[in-house]
Each structure stands twice: as C-alpha cells, then as structure tokens.
Amino acid sequence: MEQLSAGKKLDRAFEKLGKKNALSFELDLDTDVASLKALDAASDPAPGEEIPDEAAELLSGAKITVTVQSKKPLEESGEKDLVGTAMKVSTPDGDLAEYRVIGDYTYIRADMDAMGKTMGSPLPDADDLPPEAGAMKDIIEGKWVKFNTKEMDKAAAEDQEAEGGPAPSLDAKTQKKLVKALREVIAREVEFKTAGGGDGSEHVTARAPFRTLITELFGEIRPLVKDLPPGMELPTDKDLKDAPNTKVTADFTLKNGELAQVDMDLAKLAENTKVKKLGLTLRMREGTRPTAPAGATTIDLDDLMNGFLGGPAMGDAEFDMSGLADEDVPQDQF
C-alpha cells in the first residue's frame, strides 16, 4: 500500500503542475571543479582537448532558470497558446546567457567575453569590428538583440529541407505511446517511499537500479522505432550491458501536495572514486510572465547566418528555440 500511496502522491503533484498557466523552475548542477575534471579525465580526452579549468568552474556554479506562461493550463497548451517562454543560464558572477520568446520576436543576450574565455577562444573587441558588423557589436557587448521568430523557423525549415527532408518531430500519438512505455517501466522497476519533513513538507523517494531501468525503458520503446523520427537509433541491450547498475535515488519534496524540489545524487553512477560531488537539483518557482526587454536591437537573419561570423553561423546545430514550447508537462500516473 505504501508504494501505491507514494506513487499516487507524486502523480497528483505532477497533475497540479499541468493545471497551472505559468511555471518556472531552476536547475542546479550540484558539483565541483575536481569532480568535473575527474569525469573528463575518465573519458580519455585527446591531448589538448581536456576540459579547461575555466569551463569546469563555470559549470560547477551554473544554474538554468526556465519560465513558461500560457493562456491555457499547461497540460492543454500547444505552441499557439504560449504567451511567453524564457531561459537563463547564470553563474555566481552574473548571467551568462538568456533568451526570451515574446510575441513575434525572440530576444537573446550573452556575456560573450566570459563565454569566449571559458572556451579558450576570446572574441575580438567590439570597437575593433568593421562598420558592416552592425548589430553584431551589440551581441559581443552583451546587449539585447531580437529577431523575428517565424523568419528563423522558416530559415531553419528551409535548411533542413536542403539537407534531405523536413525537420523530424514526434506526433502526439507517438508521444503518448512513449509516455505509456515510461509509465509501465517505472511501475515495474521503481520503488517509492514517503517520509515526513519539516514545515509541513513531505518527501517521496523513487529508487531504481540504473542499468535495469534504462534497459527496460529502451526495451519498451524499441517496438516504436518505426514511429520515431528518421535517424534516431536506440542502443541495444548489448550496448547497455556495461552501464552501472547502481541504484539511483530521486528525492521529491512536496509542499501542500505540490512539487517543490527534486534532488538526485549521481556521483555513484560515475564509478570513479575521485568524483565526490555530482548531483542535480530542480527547484519549482511561482511562474511569472516573461517580458520583452527594452531597447533590443533588431538583427537581420542574413547577417546572423552568413555575415560577420563567416559562413553559416549555426553550422549543423539548429538554433531552434521552439523545443521548450513543445514540452509536455508530465501528468500521467506512474
């Protein structure tokens, strides 16, 4: 009865999220420089490709904040219902990058100096840029710039067509099948327990052996491969046989039946005694409506794609910010 009760409490907490019109959350990578460098060393990087100290320091203190607001409850919302979305990456030294999608425009800004130093590729000083650089100066100076979201989506779609077909996507029917598969695996493999907490909070812990969980999950998904976007290859059981089977625990904090925080300790999965600290914390916040920043400079997409940065600026990576809008808030029972 305890497992059923704990799973149901968690299920209802996710249902409450789906009934909200606005949602904000903060994702914090709880780690340190030594653990990140140990993880990197274990991957046997090529000489000169090791993670820079500056990058490890940035990652160890980075937080991601996401906000979504819709005209409808999030569980019923489609992309057309979204009033605004926003994401920000911040560090103890300040904001690193941010974007907002409001109305017809996407607004972006970034601390390019910090990013350049972190990646070992410092950018030129904005004052040294030629006049034709235009709004690129604002980008390098970390000012807000904006571009038409529909024009970007159209350009990305045309680029994808030129590469051999429309952008792959999951239809609603396939998404529901995937959620059902996930639900069935969790019901079989995950142990739930509840415990009281201070200030009227309650903790629900979900615990499962990692290799068994992902092997079972991919086993359920494999029959759906024909419905997945082209090019998506799932790992075989043989591919997963060396994955650690350490039990992973997720701690869900509920307050008044609502999800307030999720904590996961992933250090044991690294199977590396030098990885002392490696966790993820997700904190839920009251959703606030994203607003358009004042004074943003309009940037021409042709300049962005083919101008100052030299050649297609995005390369093979799609600059598609619509993914957040398409994310479904989990609401099915476990």
Side-chain angles (χ1 to χ4, degrees):
M1 291 299 291
E2 183 182 24
Q3 178 160 330
L4 177 61
S5 175
K8 190 63 178 178
K9 287 177 180 178
L10 193 55
D11 177 43
R12 288 177 178 172
F14 278 108
E15 286 181 349
K16 287 187 176 183
L17 290 181
K19 296 184 184 304
K20 293 178 179 289
N21 286 61
L23 179 66
S24 294
F25 61 87
E26 178 185 274
L27 182 64
D28 182 5
L29 179 61
D30 185 19
T31 185
D32 54 33
V33 173
S35 293
L36 288 176
K37 291 184 75 69
L39 275 175
D40 181 60
S43 68
D44 195 23
E49 297 296 324
E50 299 87 353
I51 184 172
D53 289 347
E54 295 85 355
E57 289 174 5
L58 183 148
L59 287 173
S60 65
K63 294 181 180 179
I64 299 175
T65 305
V66 177
T67 298
V68 184
Q69 186 180 42
S70 175
K71 301 172 186 176
K72 299 179 180 179
L74 292 172
E75 64 183 7
E76 303 171 9
S77 296
E79 185 174 354
K80 67 182 185 302
D81 301 311
L82 295 178
V83 176
T85 62
M87 184 178 77
K88 179 170 65 177
V89 180
S90 58
T91 71
D93 295 327
D95 297 339
L96 185 65
E98 182 173 4
Y99 84 79
R100 303 176 191 176
V101 183
I102 315 290
D104 294 333
Y105 285 90
T106 294
Y107 301 79
I108 59 173
R109 69 171 176 175
D111 186 341
M112 300 301 288
D113 183 56
M115 295 178 70
K117 290 178 180 177
T118 298
M119 301 306 168
S121 303
L123 294 174
D125 189 282
D127 293 335
D128 297 332
L129 298 180
E132 56 269 23
M136 290 298 171
K137 287 187 177 182
D138 289 336
I139 292 179
I140 289 182
E141 290 176 345
K143 296 179 181 179
W144 281 106
V145 298
K146 66 178 182 179
F147 56 83
N148 188 287
T149 307
K150 290 183 180 179
E151 289 181 7
M152 175 59 84
D153 290 343
K154 181 180 178 181
E158 290 174 352
D159 185 58
Q160 189 66 39
E161 288 282 356
E163 292 182 6
S169 62
L170 289 174
D171 58 53
K173 185 177 180 181
T174 302
Q175 290 182 39
K176 288 183 179 180
K177 289 181 179 178
L178 290 174
V179 171
K180 182 175 182 292
L182 175 61
R183 177 180 167 183
E184 290 176 352
V185 171
I186 289 177
R188 286 200 308 265
E189 303 297 341
V190 178
E191 301 173 1
F192 292 102
K193 290 184 179 180
T194 58
D199 300 325
S201 65
E202 186 172 22
H203 290 271
V204 175
T205 59
R207 193 163 183 253
F210 180 73
R211 187 198 314 141
T212 301
L213 185 62
I214 61 172
T215 300
E216 289 289 316
L217 178 58
F218 283 118
E220 290 286 345
I221 296 176
R222 211 163 278 123
L224 304 177
V225 167
K226 65 181 185 303
D227 299 321
L228 299 179
M232 288 189 65
E233 296 184 6
L234 300 181
T236 64
D237 289 349
K238 184 178 180 181
D239 294 331
L240 300 171
K241 69 180 180 63
D242 293 328
N245 210 33
T246 304
K247 286 194 174 183
V248 179
T249 301
D251 187 322
F252 299 82
T253 302
L254 308 182
K255 290 188 177 180
N256 299 319
E258 294 193 3
L259 184 62
Q261 184 166 314
V262 184
D263 295 281
M264 292 185 67
D265 185 357
L266 306 176
K268 291 182 179 179
L269 283 182
E271 296 187 316
N272 185 329
T273 56
K274 294 183 179 180
V275 178
K276 305 292 186 182
K277 188 177 183 182
L278 184 62
L280 284 176
T281 297
L282 179 69
R283 301 180 184 91
M284 312 308 296
R285 298 285 186 259
E286 283 299 320
T288 56
R289 180 171 183 166
T291 57
T297 301
T298 301
I299 188 169
D300 184 270
L301 288 182
D302 289 336
D303 289 343
L304 182 64
M305 301 293 283
N306 304 307
F308 168 71
L309 296 180
M314 301 307 159
D316 292 329
E318 292 184 21
F319 191 55
D320 182 8
M321 295 180 177
S322 62
L324 175 63
D326 296 332
E327 290 292 330
D328 290 327
V329 176
Q331 53 184 299
D332 286 81
Q333 296 180 8
F334 287 112

